[in-house]
Amino acid sequence: MKIVRVVDLSHPITAETQVYPGDPVPHIEQHSTIERDGFNLMSISMGSQSGTHVDAPFHFDHDTKRIDELPLPLFVGPATVLDCGQLAPRQAITAELLGAQLNKVQTGDIVLFKTLWSQHYGTDEYFNNPYIDAALVRDLLDRGVLTFGLDAINIDETPDDEHPGVGFPVHHLIANAGGVICENLTNLEAIYFDRPVVSLLPMKFIGIDGAPVRAVAMEVES
Ligand SMILES: [Zn+2]
């Protein structure tokens, strides 16, 4: 096996990283300097789900698994990228919309929804994200998919003043199944090859709801 290409699917983490409304913004400052200490070292603070990250079931349910308790195979493996086409703000992504592409999904796949909403990253429009229809997620869970990712801030519709009661139905469905969600992916359009091997491995924080990831898609030749 040979890895012939690695595509970065992650947003940069800086003070400008666009976070979910109300979440902590990353803060990075110099802790040690070469001049004073002989080496450079930074102090970092950020939300557990700021930037490209994975959610554990504990995000929405006290009694379920935390990020360190999940089996690592959930975060790395072959993926199917589903092309959602041109989407309107707050459009539901349904089985009808995806059509025959869904036949490509294999049991145990990581499924990535290519919404291209990452083009709105850094603007208010990013919060009017399209979202995944609960019936479609139920069907994929039934087919043995436990890892879901997308290039938008939220797999569910994002509440705001005009849409206050939209809830988190897909987060709950995936949490109840012991699955994981990766949000704020980017650059999914650069995966032009079939069956990428995707890595969404979280940092090994203990006992928490989620963690930042350096998400990549690899083209592999056997
Ligand atoms: Zn989430």
Side-chain angles (χ1 to χ4, degrees):
M1 186 201 83
K2 188 169 166 222
I3 296 169
V4 295
R5 192 178 312 274
V6 181
V7 177
D8 191 359
L9 308 179
S10 321
H11 284 291
I13 299 170
T14 71
E16 280 76 49
T17 298
Q18 188 176 20
V19 300
Y20 193 84
D23 276 10
V25 172
H27 181 73
I28 302 169
E29 65 177 39
Q30 194 93 26
H31 181 77
S32 306
T33 64
I34 291 177
E35 290 71 22
R36 193 183 60 212
D37 309 294
F39 50 87
N40 279 321
L41 193 123
M42 306 293 156
S43 169
I44 301 169
S45 74
M46 61 187 290
S48 50
Q49 301 199 19
S50 300
T52 307
H53 70 273
V54 286
D55 299 12
F58 179 68
H59 186 34
F60 277 98
D61 185 349
H62 282 305
D63 301 322
T64 52
K65 291 207 155 82
R66 304 175 188 219
I67 197 69
D68 56 300
E69 297 171 333
L70 293 163
L72 292 182
L74 281 181
F75 301 102
V76 59
T80 296
V81 181
L82 298 171
D83 186 345
C84 304
Q86 284 282 352
L87 294 164
R90 295 181 180 270
Q91 183 173 344
I93 295 163
T94 61
E96 295 74 55
L97 184 90
L98 296 173
Q101 290 182 76
L102 287 169
N103 300 332
K104 295 191 301 185
V105 177
Q106 299 181 24
T107 302
D109 269 3
I110 293 173
V111 168
L112 302 182
F113 297 91
K114 183 169 71 174
T115 71
L116 301 182
W117 214 251
S118 50
Q119 69 191 293
H120 299 295
Y121 181 81
T123 73
D124 286 347
E125 189 66 353
Y126 194 53
F127 300 123
N128 286 321
N129 58 281
Y131 61 96
I132 315 304
D133 173 61
L136 170 57
V137 169
R138 228 176 269 120
D139 175 52
L140 289 167
L141 287 167
D142 286 347
R143 291 163 61 176
V145 173
L146 281 171
T147 306
F148 299 81
L150 80 170
D151 50 356
I153 194 153
N154 191 349
I155 199 166
D156 282 298
E157 194 172 0
T158 300
D160 66 8
D161 291 345
E162 286 166 50
H163 312 83
V166 292
F168 295 93
V170 168
H171 276 84
H172 285 288
L173 273 174
I174 296 173
N176 290 342
V180 297
I181 301 166
C182 185
E183 291 162 321
N184 285 326
L185 291 164
T186 189
N187 205 27
L188 292 187
E189 61 276 22
I191 308 174
Y192 59 84
F193 42 93
D194 278 336
R195 302 293 297 159
V197 173
V198 164
S199 173
L200 309 170
L201 288 163
M203 294 184 72
K204 197 170 181 174
F205 289 110
I206 304 301
I208 68 171
D209 53 277
V213 301
R214 181 64 179 262
V216 296
M218 291 168 275
E219 183 177 8
V220 173
E221 273 176 7
S222 48

